[in-house]
Amino acid sequence: MTTRLLPWLFVLVMAVGPLWLGDQYILYVLTSTGIFIIGAMSLNLLLGYTGQLSLGHIAFFGIGAYTSALLSLGFDLDLGGAEPFVLGPQPVWVAFLGGILVAALFGFLIGKLAFRVRGAYFVIVTISFAQVMRMVALNWVDLTEGPMALNNIPPLSVWLPWDGVIPLYRKEYNYLLVLAVAVVCFLVIQRLVQSRVGRALVALRENESLARSVGIDVTRYLVVATVIAAGMAGAAGGLYTHYIRIVDPDVFMFIYTVTMVIMVVTGGKGTLAGPIVGGLAFGILPEVLREVARPEVQWIIYGVAMIVVVFFLPQGMVPAVKNWFAGRRKRVAATALGLRKETSA
Amino acid sequence: MSLALDESAAPILEVREVAVHFSGLIAIASMSFAVPEGEIVSLIGPNGAGKTTAFNVITGFLKPTGGKVLFRGTDLTRLSSNRIAGLGVVRTFQRTSIFAGCTVFDNVLTGMHRQGRAETWGALLRLASVRAETERMRAAVAEILAFVGLSHRADELAGNLAYGEQRLLGIAIALAADPKLLLLDEPAAGLNPSETEAFMGVVQRIRDRGVTILLVEHDMRMVMTISDRVVVLNHGRIIAEGPPEVIRANPDVIQAYLGQGVKHAKG
Ligand SMILES: Nc1ncnc2c1ncn2[C@@H]1O[C@H](COP(=O)(O)OP(=O)(O)O)[C@@H](O)[C@H]1O
Ligand SMILES: [Mg+2]
C-alpha cells in the first residue's frame, strides 16, 4: 500500500515544494532538469528495457524541439516549384503535438533500421543520425535559420478557469506543466513495461533467441518501443523549445545524450524510478556545484561523483536501495522465524 | 497402442531432403524423416552430426541450403522463427537458455506471449480484457510451474537457480508457448542420474498432454526408454531409422554411435 502511494506523495511534494519556496532560480533548475528527466525516461525505455543503447537519443529531442518551434512560428519552404510552400503559425499545442508525431515518425524509421542492426551497429547508426540532424539544422538555413537560431518561439499556453487561455510565461506554470508531462510519461512507461508488450521488450534484452523461440516478434516490439521513446523525447524537446523560446543546432549536441545516459545509468536502467532519481541527482548537481566551485573543479567533481556511483552501485541507485530494503526485510523475517521456532520449541 | 500408431499415421512434421552447408562445410548432406503426431521421436548421433543444425532449420533460426520442412503441410523454411513458434513449433536450446535477469514466474509468463492478445493500446488503457487476460495467464503460469516442479522457486531470479532447475525452467518456458511440436535439444545434458530420471517423467507427461516431441539426447537409456521411434544421424546423413529395439540391434548404429557409449560405460 505504501509503495503504491509513495510515487504520488513524491509528485505532491514536487508540485507543492518548489512553488512554496518560490525561488525563481530553483524553479528554472527544476524545470530544465525535469525536461531532461523526461528525455532520460524515454531513453530508459530503450536502454533499460530493450537493452538497445541509442546514443543519438537527443536527435528525437531536437526534432521535437525544431518541429514544434517551426509549426508555432510558421515557415515557408521552397520546394523548387513556382510557389513556395507556406505554412502560417499554428496554435502552440498543435505545434507541440506535431513535434511529438514527427519525432515518433523518425523513431519508427530508426526502429525499422534496428531490425538489421543491433548492438554496436545500433549505437553507431543512432550517433550518426543525431549528427546528420545537427548538420541539417545547421545548413538548411532557409528553414532553420541555421546557427542564427529560431527566435521568439511562443510559449505554451493553458486554459485556466479564472484567467481563460493564457500563454505560459511564468516559471511556476512551466514547471507544473513539465511535472505533469513527466507524470504522464511515467504512467505510459509503467503500464507498458508491466504488460505483455513490456515483457516482450525485456525478453529481447535478456535473450533474443529465446524470445523468438516462444513466438515473440522482437523487431515489432523494438519498433513500438522506439516510436514511444522517440515521441516522448520529442515531447521533452517541445517543452524545452517553448520554455527557453529559442532553439539552435546545438540542441543536437552529443553531450546531451551523454547526460541522459548518465541519468539513466546512475539511477538504475530498467527501473521505473531510475531515470528520475539519477536525473534529479545529476541534473541538480551541476547547478549546486556552480555555486561552490570554479568551472574546472565543477566538472571534476561531477565526473568523480558519476564514477563513484557507477563503481559502487553498478546497478544504479534505485536497485541498490531496493536490495538494501529487501535484505533488511529478509533479516527481519529470519529473526521473526527464529523467535517463533524458539517459542514453539 | 497400435491403434494410436495407426491414427497418427499422418506426420505432424516432415523433413524433406534438407541440406545445410556452412561455406564449404557440409553440416547436413541430405536429411529426410517424419515425426508422427503424438509420438516421441529421438534424433541421435555423435557430436557434430548435425542435430542442433537440424533443429535450427526446423525452427527457422537457420535457412537451409536446400530442402523443405513441412509442419502439417506448411513449409517452415520460408517463415521467421517467431512465426514458426506461432504455429506451435517450439524448441529448447542445447545451451541453457533462460531470461536470467527475470524471476522464474516472469520467465514462464514471457513464454506465454503467443497466448496473449494485449497490445500497446490495451496495455496503456489497462482495458478490462487485458486485465482478465493477465489473470488467466498468471494462473496458467502457476500450473506450468507446478507441472515441472518449480512452484517453490517462482519468485527467485532465474539466474540464481541451480543448473538442473534452469534446465527445467527452459522446458517450462517452451511449454508456456503452448507447443504442438516440442523440440528438446539435449535436455538432460549435465544432469545427474536422479535428475535425469525425473526429467524422463516430465518429458513423458508432456507427451501425455498431447504434445509431439522431437528429442535430441545423448543419454541412451533415456532415448531407448521413452522414444517411439529413433532417427540416427552421422556426418550429416541419416544412417538408420526405426523403433528403439530395431535401432539398438543395427550394426551401423552400434559402429557409429552406440559403440562409443558402450566403451564409455566400461571405462
Ligand atoms: N553457425 C555455424 N557455422 C559454421 N559451422 C557450423 C555452425 N553451426 C554448426 N556448424 C558445424 O556443423 C556441424 C554440425 O553441428 P551441430 O548441428 O551443432 O552438431 P550436433 O548438434 O549434432 O552436435 C559441426 O561440424 C559444426 O561445427
Ligand atoms: Mg548439438
Side-chain angles (χ1 to χ4, degrees), chain B residues 47-48 50-53 94 185-186 216 218:
Chain B
N47 276 325
K51 306 179 297 292
T52 299
T53 304
Q94 180 169 355
D185 197 351
E186 303 197 25
V216 164
H218 278 304

Side-chain angles (χ1 to χ4, degrees), chain A residues 104-129:
Chain A
L105 183 73
F106 276 95
F108 177 79
L109 296 177
I110 291 291
K112 279 283 178 193
L113 213 75
F115 168 62
R116 303 231 165 267
V117 295
R118 293 277 160 74
Y121 294 102
F122 186 75
V123 174
I124 293 168
V125 165
T126 49
I127 291 182
S128 321
F129 171 57

Side-chain angles (χ1 to χ4, degrees), chain A residues 207-294:
Chain A
N207 190 334
E208 182 172 347
S209 300
L210 182 59
R212 283 159 57 202
S213 81
V214 293
I216 296 174
D217 186 349
V218 285
T219 319
R220 202 172 90 89
Y221 289 102
L222 184 55
V223 172
V224 168
T226 334
V227 167
I228 293 177
M232 274 179 193
L239 287 173
Y240 168 86
T241 222
H242 294 287
Y243 176 58
I244 307 288
R245 303 189 47 220
I246 173 168
V247 58
D248 67 19
D250 279 354
V251 73
F252 289 106
M253 276 200 321
F254 185 58
I255 185 70
Y256 294 127
T257 301
V258 174
T259 305
M260 292 193 285
V261 172
I262 291 171
M263 289 174 165
V264 172
V265 170
T266 56
K269 61 180 201 279
T271 64
L272 287 168
I276 300 167
V277 173
L280 282 175
F282 283 86
I284 295 173
L285 184 64
E287 305 298 336
V288 175
L289 291 177
R290 192 174 296 176
E291 308 276 301
V292 298
R294 284 181 298 136

Side-chain angles (χ1 to χ4, degrees), chain B residues 34-77:
Chain B
V35 179
E37 181 139 23
E39 294 196 354
I40 297 180
V41 174
S42 288
L43 185 63
I44 65 170
N47 276 325
K51 306 179 297 292
T52 299
T53 304
F55 270 27
N56 287 340
V57 168
I58 295 169
T59 52
F61 281 80
L62 187 69
K63 295 289 161 231
T65 315
K68 272 187 180 176
V69 176
L70 298 177
F71 174 72
R72 290 180 171 162
T74 311
D75 186 5
L76 300 184
T77 56

Side-chain angles (χ1 to χ4, degrees), chain B residues 182-220:
Chain B
L182 179 61
L183 295 87
L184 301 171
D185 197 351
E186 303 197 25
L191 299 186
N192 65 37
S194 74
E195 284 174 328
T196 306
E197 193 69 32
F199 227 100
M200 272 167 57
V202 170
V203 173
Q204 279 171 318
R205 280 185 292 134
I206 293 171
R207 192 262 308 269
D208 295 342
R209 289 176 142 203
V211 179
T212 309
I213 292 172
L214 181 59
L215 174 71
V216 164
E217 183 49 59
H218 278 304
D219 186 311
M220 276 308 122

